[in-house]
Amino acid sequence: MWVLLIASVPAFAQVDTSFIYNTSMPYGTLDLRIAKSPTRYYYLQEGITFSFRESAPGVKTNTYRDMTSWDSSPYRQGNLREKNGASDLFVMNYRYLLPNNYNASYEPGYPVIIMFHGLGERGNCWEDKCYWSTPGWNPNTNSPPAPVSATHNLMNNDHNLLHGGLKHLTAVNLAGSKLPNDPTLPANAFPGFLIFPQNLNGWAQPARIEDAIRILRLMIKKYNIDENRVYIHGLSNGGGAVFQAIKRAPWLFAAALPMSAVNNGGIIGDGMTAEVSKIPLWVFQGAKDTNPTPSRTYNTIKSFREAGADIRYNLYLNLGHGTWNTAYNEPDFFSWILSKRKYNPHVYYGNPVICNTNGQGVRISFSNGFPAYQWQQDGQVIAGATQSQYIANTPGTY
């Protein structure tokens, strides 16, 4: 047996536009555009939570409604908006955190985690449990008119931090002034950006997941973020949103960590298993959970593994649905995340061994979506190897 060594040069940036906007995807239309025309585009309004709360008659608070038991003020606030000619519409609130001693000139940039909250941490409705009106209520038309009390929970932009917000803040603070590639970084530190979008009524509508990805893309555009170190995780309803997100933008994410995901985002049914399986996954499941059941999650993992995925799976025997706090306390939760890079090629089945008896090579691949690919062996360009996938038949460093 010969062992294949995997190495790569960070070079990803541009993405084929058909992987951002495509009306013929297996699941329908994909739309991750941040600009649809010169006069119709999305932008981030930082420092403001969009809501109807007022501190005095006619004076909006423009801030989040505190719904956590700890001080969430280190997280900044903002909202995604869509400008279309004269109209300027609210799309989604979010909270975010910058790394300590953020340096806009630091190369190669900082990692980022985007986290999808559960259904209970929504901005308005959890099924028929609404802070105001019904799930059909639209904040841009505001009919019936929303309450203006300064303490109203509608569009709170803080409950999204309930699970994981403090743990992630602690990880950023633990990093101190150390940079992402510092070998002395503590194991559970995270020296990067955090983004916690808040949906209005859950993540069941794919358009809301695409809006959250727009926030992420605009953050990457504005700040010094390493595009090779973009990570995603989420819990329960948000775990299903993680699967939906990596189905829509497999080229974007270097790793994904769904926790008690209520569905697999339709990945298998939509024929996206092979592409999604190139992304490193760490899946968390409670043995006593009834939604999802362990068997349902296992069947999803089995399909991914059969497609060549290398998946880490934690089944907590004594837990039901609430796996996330235990997951966050895994000693290498953040160090595992930080070890993943988008420019690292996927080795199918996690096996880098070339068989010298039957000549079977090692299949290695990158996500589809980038304009061009180039493979090298031992520092030399391989002629004709210009596809996202390559089969290595001779030992070496690729």
Side-chain angles (χ1 to χ4, degrees):
M1 300 292 180
W2 293 319
V3 177
L4 191 73
L5 299 177
I6 302 297
S8 53
V9 178
F12 291 147
Q14 299 300 316
V15 179
D16 186 328
T17 55
S18 66
F19 285 79
I20 295 173
Y21 178 66
N22 191 328
T23 60
S24 302
M25 296 299 289
Y27 47 80
T29 295
L30 168 71
D31 190 352
L32 303 176
R33 292 174 294 176
I34 55 178
K36 298 179 179 179
S37 75
T39 58
R40 186 178 183 184
Y41 56 89
Y42 294 86
Y43 73 96
L44 302 178
Q45 185 181 46
E46 295 185 331
I48 292 177
T49 289
F50 181 85
S51 78
F52 296 90
R53 291 183 291 275
E54 295 181 354
S55 57
V59 181
K60 288 192 174 184
T61 64
N62 286 331
T63 192
Y64 60 91
R65 158 72 171 142
D66 188 2
M67 294 186 69
T68 55
S69 60
W70 47 278
D71 180 12
S72 66
S73 63
Y75 281 90
R76 304 182 186 192
Q77 59 189 325
N79 71 96
L80 175 67
R81 304 190 67 84
E82 183 180 10
K83 190 79 166 66
N84 185 7
S87 71
D88 191 349
L89 302 177
F90 163 79
V91 179
M92 182 176 286
N93 282 320
Y94 65 96
R95 299 289 290 277
Y96 68 108
L97 190 69
L98 271 63
N100 291 316
N101 300 324
Y102 169 64
N103 180 355
S105 300
Y106 165 67
E107 292 291 345
Y110 295 86
V112 61
I113 293 174
I114 184 168
M115 191 275 186
F116 286 84
H117 62 78
L119 195 53
E121 297 79 62
R122 78 292 184 192
N124 190 19
C125 295
W126 173 1
E127 296 176 346
D128 61 348
K129 303 179 185 70
C130 300
Y131 294 130
W132 179 246
S133 189
T134 69
W137 176 81
N138 185 332
N140 287 302
T141 56
N142 190 24
S143 179
V148 297
S149 166
T151 59
H152 203 277
N153 291 339
L154 176 65
M155 306 176 77
N156 56 80
N157 201 20
D158 195 57
H159 215 202
N160 37 329
L161 296 171
L162 178 67
H163 299 301
L166 180 58
K167 190 69 176 182
H168 285 73
L169 174 61
T170 301
V172 170
N173 288 336
L174 184 61
S177 60
K178 294 182 185 294
L179 293 169
N181 294 329
D182 191 326
T184 67
L185 197 68
N188 243 354
F190 186 77
F193 285 81
L194 304 174
I195 306 173
F196 284 71
Q198 185 179 52
N199 64 51
L200 202 62
N201 304 310
W203 298 109
Q205 292 182 317
R208 301 294 76 78
I209 296 165
E210 292 177 342
D211 287 335
I213 295 175
R214 286 188 178 95
I215 294 173
L216 173 61
R217 294 192 65 214
L218 286 166
M219 288 283 288
I220 293 171
K221 186 176 180 179
K222 177 170 183 177
Y223 292 100
N224 182 20
I225 292 174
D226 184 353
E227 294 184 61
N228 291 295
R229 304 181 80 177
V230 178
Y231 311 109
I232 182 171
H233 73 84
L235 55 94
S236 190
N237 181 255
V242 167
F243 281 127
Q244 283 279 3
I246 62 178
K247 179 178 79 174
R248 281 169 163 71
W251 49 268
L252 179 59
F253 299 104
L257 301 88
M259 305 169 178
S260 307
V262 296
N263 58 65
N264 63 26
I267 290 171
I268 298 170
D270 290 330
M272 296 290 292
T273 308
E275 189 62 25
V276 169
S277 294
K278 299 175 186 178
I279 301 171
L281 296 174
W282 189 355
V283 179
F284 303 89
Q285 170 73 38
K288 299 179 179 180
D289 200 351
T290 58
N291 184 27
T293 61
S295 61
R296 192 168 71 187
T297 296
Y298 175 77
N299 286 334
T300 294
I301 291 173
K302 181 174 179 288
S303 294
F304 288 161
R305 284 177 172 164
E306 289 173 349
D310 185 12
I311 299 178
R312 184 172 177 179
Y313 178 46
N314 280 40
L315 177 65
Y316 297 121
L317 298 180
N318 296 320
L319 295 182
H321 193 59
T323 59
W324 34 91
N325 291 329
T326 304
Y328 291 140
N329 286 327
E330 292 288 344
D332 62 339
F333 182 84
F334 289 101
S335 58
W336 183 89
I337 289 173
L338 288 169
S339 70
K340 308 306 176 185
R341 308 287 200 283
K342 196 61 186 175
Y343 57 70
N344 288 337
H346 168 60
V347 181
Y348 282 80
Y349 308 102
N351 182 15
V353 176
I354 299 173
C355 183
N356 58 2
T357 56
N358 62 16
Q360 183 174 347
V362 173
R363 186 155 55 120
I364 50 181
S365 179
F366 290 105
S367 294
N368 290 312
F370 299 99
Y373 299 85
Q374 183 183 77
W375 292 90
Q376 297 181 356
Q377 179 183 357
D378 300 327
Q380 299 299 312
V381 174
I382 303 172
T386 58
Q387 303 300 312
S388 62
Q389 178 176 287
Y390 182 73
I391 304 225
N393 292 303
T394 57
T397 300
Y398 290 84

